[in-house]
Amino acid sequence: MARLFDAFVMVDWSASSTPKTGRDSIWIGVNKRDARFRPTFEAHNPATRAAAMATLREVIGDLRRRGERVLVGFDFPLGYPRGTAAKLGLKDADWSGMWKFLADNVVDKPTNVNNRFAVANKANRLMTDSAKPFWGCPAKDAQTWLQATKPEHTADLPPVLRAAELATQGKGKAGAKSVWQIFGNGTVGSQAIVGIPAVRALKLELGDKAKAWPFETGWKTLKDADVADIEVLFAEIYPALGDVRPEAGEILDRAQVRALCEHFLRLDEAGKLGEAFAPPKGADEAEIAIIETEEGWILGA
């Protein structure tokens, strides 16, 4: 059975405001074929998001020149809870509207200095004119519409968790956290704010040779015909879903991107990766439409 992808690139992102390497920084794992067509793994640990973008452009460019199709996974939400874009009053009340809103507002300098708290502050002002639903920041970054403490999440707001995050609960760990929390251990809110514009930039550069799953492919089992005309597929991943066993002296972040590359490679070689892009049994048409147009999904959840 033919494989869907020739290479796998898994990205552990970071919203750090200063350059950083090692633990809790950006790690890019790449699994590709060597000259003898054997899968080989390499890892990159760029100190800044600008350097990470340069690395991703170089890696993806090399794979494209080799005529290889690549799956690129990012460990932060690519979509927001249902109703978010509408609550913001965006012209395009879907995933693309959210991506554009963030790209238009985020300032992320080569030094990693960024305005993610100001963007969350603006989003809260537009949605509720109060310090919610986004929350969490250092005391020095508290603003009129963004506070350090968790607010009451009222019924008029988009949900606390997306359906994909709910699907990760009860799997032996705490499960994926809410995108609304943007500061604190294990949070993903800030990564999404600074990460989505990066994915959007890569996608725009690649044009019709790249697609974002499930927004542009459909939430369904993918077959070769579904990816035949593209070179890059972007997807959301959640490293904690896998069985990660660091090697001696290996940093956990590196081990996670390595394990994900190996996991998706094994599924693809067994002809089972396409099924991982499909919804769980029981998903109805209304739910599928929400996932495809706004919330997105975690590959493997």
Side-chain angles (χ1 to χ4, degrees), residues 254-269:
R254 184 188 190 279
Q256 288 181 327
V257 294
R258 175 180 55 79
L260 280 171
C261 283
E262 294 170 351
H263 172 66
F264 292 129
L265 171 65
R266 286 193 299 269
L267 284 180
D268 207 10
E269 290 185 332

Side-chain angles (χ1 to χ4, degrees), residues 11-299:
V11 185
D12 185 338
W13 203 243
S14 169
S16 175
S17 295
T18 58
K20 186 177 183 181
T21 58
R23 182 181 176 184
D24 296 329
S25 64
I26 297 175
W27 283 88
I28 300 172
V30 182
N31 196 307
K32 59 184 179 182
R33 305 275 169 174
D34 64 13
R36 296 184 179 181
F37 303 101
R38 297 171 302 187
T40 59
F41 177 77
E42 63 185 36
H44 305 266
N45 185 211
T48 65
R49 285 179 293 280
M53 288 292 283
T55 297
L56 285 169
R57 290 185 175 104
E58 181 180 353
V59 168
I60 293 172
D62 176 62
L63 292 170
R64 292 181 69 203
R65 285 189 292 272
R66 292 165 54 165
E68 299 186 352
R69 187 182 303 129
V70 55
L71 173 66
V72 183
F74 290 89
D75 73 332
F76 52 80
L78 296 182
Y80 278 77
R82 59 198 69 190
T84 300
K87 193 76 173 176
L88 277 167
L90 302 182
K91 179 181 178 182
D92 296 316
D94 58 10
W95 69 275
S96 65
M98 282 300 303
W99 282 30
K100 185 176 186 303
F101 172 80
L102 292 173
D104 288 345
N105 285 278
V106 168
V107 176
D108 199 359
K109 297 183 178 181
T111 58
N112 262 5
V113 171
N114 63 84
N115 68 336
R116 66 188 189 276
F117 297 122
V119 173
N121 181 70
K122 177 178 179 178
N124 280 349
R125 175 177 62 81
L126 293 174
M127 284 192 282
T128 65
D129 196 27
S130 62
K132 59 183 180 181
F134 284 106
W135 68 277
C137 62
K140 65 181 179 62
D141 291 302
Q143 302 171 53
T144 302
W145 296 284
L146 180 68
Q147 297 297 310
T149 56
K150 185 177 182 179
E152 178 188 3
H153 198 94
T154 50
D156 60 315
L157 295 173
V160 174
L161 297 172
R162 299 176 301 153
E165 286 139 6
L166 291 172
T168 70
Q169 309 299 312
K171 295 186 181 295
K173 299 184 180 181
K177 290 195 174 184
S178 171
V179 74
W180 303 125
Q181 183 180 357
I182 58 173
F183 187 71
N185 292 335
T187 58
V188 296
S190 281
Q191 285 93 319
I193 290 175
V194 297
I196 285 175
V199 179
R200 183 176 186 268
L202 290 172
K203 186 178 175 308
L204 288 175
E205 291 167 12
L206 293 166
D208 60 4
K209 294 301 181 182
K211 288 185 178 180
W213 171 82
F215 307 123
E216 297 176 300
T217 62
W219 195 24
K220 62 181 183 180
T221 297
L222 293 186
K223 300 179 180 179
D224 188 67
D226 297 309
V227 295
D229 296 329
I230 67 170
E231 298 172 359
V232 180
L233 182 65
F234 295 112
E236 177 184 341
I237 56 173
Y238 181 50
L241 284 179
D243 181 18
V244 180
R245 299 180 183 181
E247 298 172 349
E250 186 178 30
I251 291 174
L252 177 60
D253 309 74
R254 184 188 190 279
Q256 288 181 327
V257 294
R258 175 180 55 79
L260 280 171
C261 283
E262 294 170 351
H263 172 66
F264 292 129
L265 171 65
R266 286 193 299 269
L267 284 180
D268 207 10
E269 290 185 332
K272 296 180 179 180
L273 181 57
E275 300 170 9
F277 294 96
K281 293 180 180 179
D284 59 32
E285 291 185 6
E287 184 70 8
I288 291 173
I290 290 171
I291 301 305
E292 291 180 343
T293 59
E294 186 165 14
E295 285 200 348
W297 195 256
I298 298 169
L299 184 59

